[in-house]
């Protein structure tokens, strides 16, 4: 099995004035290509912090991260946006859609950043929106979409450009059982065809059966 992400003794300490919060405490794990894995744990246990460090959004306090064998732990700040574009599709807790852009434009955005020609970007984005069941909402602004619909736009955007690693923070939180299973099914299908992987932070016990492995974290530590 080929390794997609390897994390070694990863640590994050937040400092707020004199208070130190150890959000992630010596976590080591490997995730392989073609896997769909879950990260599970109580609120405040460090799930988003761990995901953000794996996605090179947040710098670790200590430890190492290797992505496709490339050590990204000590790269300088200005390289990180490039690394993020190269490797990741993100689905954030709270979606982060651009309010003035339509659903279609939101999905097209990462493709534009990658330099995909307008026509191809348009085609791929409409296709993805159709796959998440939003073909009739392509020209809607985020404020006119329901919570579940916004979430599906965010999912389509994360899948645009076939990223090697999909990082998703509670991607099925606002979806009913049927749409939630559909989304995980879609991730599974893409991960297999693209030889990629997906890492999903979730509380949703209904999707557990479709995950290859689940990592449990508590107080910033991996439970074995
Ligand atoms: N920017 C920050 N500054 C200081 N402390 C932070 C910061 N972000 C998170 N924390 C703290 O780090 C701990 C882990 O937070 P994190 O957001 O990773 O938890 P989580 O498992 O994603 O929780 P939830 O399920 O509620 O989203 C929490 O105690 C939180 O208060
Ligand atoms: Mg979180």
């Amino acid at each position: 099995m080929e390794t997609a992400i390897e994390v070694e003794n990863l640590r994050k300490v937040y400092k707020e004035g004199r208070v130190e919060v150890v959000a992630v405490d010596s976590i080591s794990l490997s995730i392989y290509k073609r896997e769909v894995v879950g990260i599970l744990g109580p609120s405040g246990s460090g799930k988003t912090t761990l995901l953000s460090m794996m996605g090179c959004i947040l710098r670790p306090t200590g430890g190492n991260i290797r992505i496709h064998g490339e050590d990204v732990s000590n790269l300088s700040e200005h390289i990180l946006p490039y690394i993020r574009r190269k490797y990741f599709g993100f689905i954030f807790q709270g979606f982060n859609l651009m309010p003035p852009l339509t659903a279609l434009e939101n999905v097209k955005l990462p493709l534009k950043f990658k330099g995909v020609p307008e026509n191809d970007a348009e085609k791929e984005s409409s296709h993805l929106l159709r796959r998440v069941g939003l073909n009739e909402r392509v020209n809607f602004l985020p404020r006119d979409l329901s919570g579940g619909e916004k979430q599906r736009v965010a999912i389509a955007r994360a899948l645009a450009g076939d990223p090697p690693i999909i990082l998703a923070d509670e991607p099925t939180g606002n979806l009913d059982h049927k749409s939630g299973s559909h989304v995980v099914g879609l991730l599974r299908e893409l991960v297999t065809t693209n030889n990629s992987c997906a890492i999903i932070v979730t509380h949703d016990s209904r999707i557990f059966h479709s995950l290859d492995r689940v990592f449990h974290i508590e107080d910033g530590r991996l439970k074995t």
Side-chain angles (χ1 to χ4, degrees):
M1 279 191 296
E2 273 182 279
T3 309
I5 289 202
E6 218 175 335
V7 156
E8 211 175 41
N9 297 322
L10 201 63
R11 210 174 138 74
K12 181 68 189 182
V13 183
Y14 292 111
K15 279 204 185 78
E16 283 297 324
R18 282 162 53 189
V19 184
E20 281 198 349
V21 179
V22 182
V24 167
D25 191 3
S26 291
I27 288 188
S28 300
L29 53 83
S30 295
I31 293 155
Y32 303 98
K33 291 183 185 175
R34 292 172 173 252
E35 274 197 308
V36 179
V37 305
I39 296 176
L40 185 66
S43 180
S45 57
K47 304 181 297 293
T48 298
T49 303
L50 175 61
L51 208 68
S52 307
M53 289 193 287
M54 293 201 284
C56 300
I57 292 171
L58 186 69
R59 305 306 292 268
T61 308
N64 293 300
I65 303 171
R66 271 187 298 279
I67 302 167
H68 288 196
E70 179 177 3
D71 191 335
V72 297
S73 337
N74 298 306
L75 293 177
S76 70
E77 202 75 40
H78 72 276
I79 311 274
L80 296 179
Y82 165 77
I83 295 287
R84 289 196 287 268
R85 270 204 298 281
K86 179 175 171 193
Y87 289 112
F88 299 107
F90 294 101
I91 305 167
F92 296 101
Q93 220 172 5
F95 325 135
N96 284 14
L97 299 179
M98 303 288 277
L101 302 185
T102 64
L104 186 72
E105 289 163 346
N106 264 285
V107 178
K108 264 163 74 177
L109 203 59
L111 295 171
K112 284 189 163 175
F113 278 130
K114 281 184 186 164
V116 175
E118 174 67 23
N119 258 352
D120 298 343
E122 177 98 12
K123 247 187 240 155
E124 177 172 354
S125 304
S126 323
H127 176 69
L128 283 167
L129 283 170
R130 208 163 36 244
R131 293 199 69 178
V132 296
L134 289 179
N135 36 323
E136 302 197 324
R137 298 284 185 277
V138 283
N139 294 319
F140 279 49
L141 292 172
R143 63 159 188 260
D144 299 325
L145 296 169
S146 73
E149 288 167 347
K150 282 199 269 272
Q151 191 150 27
R152 282 182 279 161
V153 175
I155 290 162
R157 182 184 55 187
L159 302 177
D162 298 327
I165 301 167
I166 296 154
L167 298 177
D169 208 341
E170 294 280 359
T172 62
N174 283 279
L175 303 180
D176 57 49
H177 181 42
K178 194 162 154 259
S179 328
S181 308
H182 178 71
V183 162
V184 179
L186 180 61
L187 285 176
R188 156 82 52 210
E189 191 187 320
L190 290 170
V191 156
T192 311
T193 37
N194 297 343
N195 200 28
S196 54
C197 71
I199 304 168
I200 307 176
V201 167
T202 186
H203 287 105
D204 189 350
S205 55
R206 298 169 311 188
I207 66 168
F208 289 170
H209 66 276
S210 15
L211 301 170
D212 294 313
R213 286 190 292 155
V214 176
F215 296 99
H216 293 265
I217 73 170
E218 226 175 270
D219 293 328
R221 286 178 165 271
L222 211 55
K223 288 211 304 181
T224 43

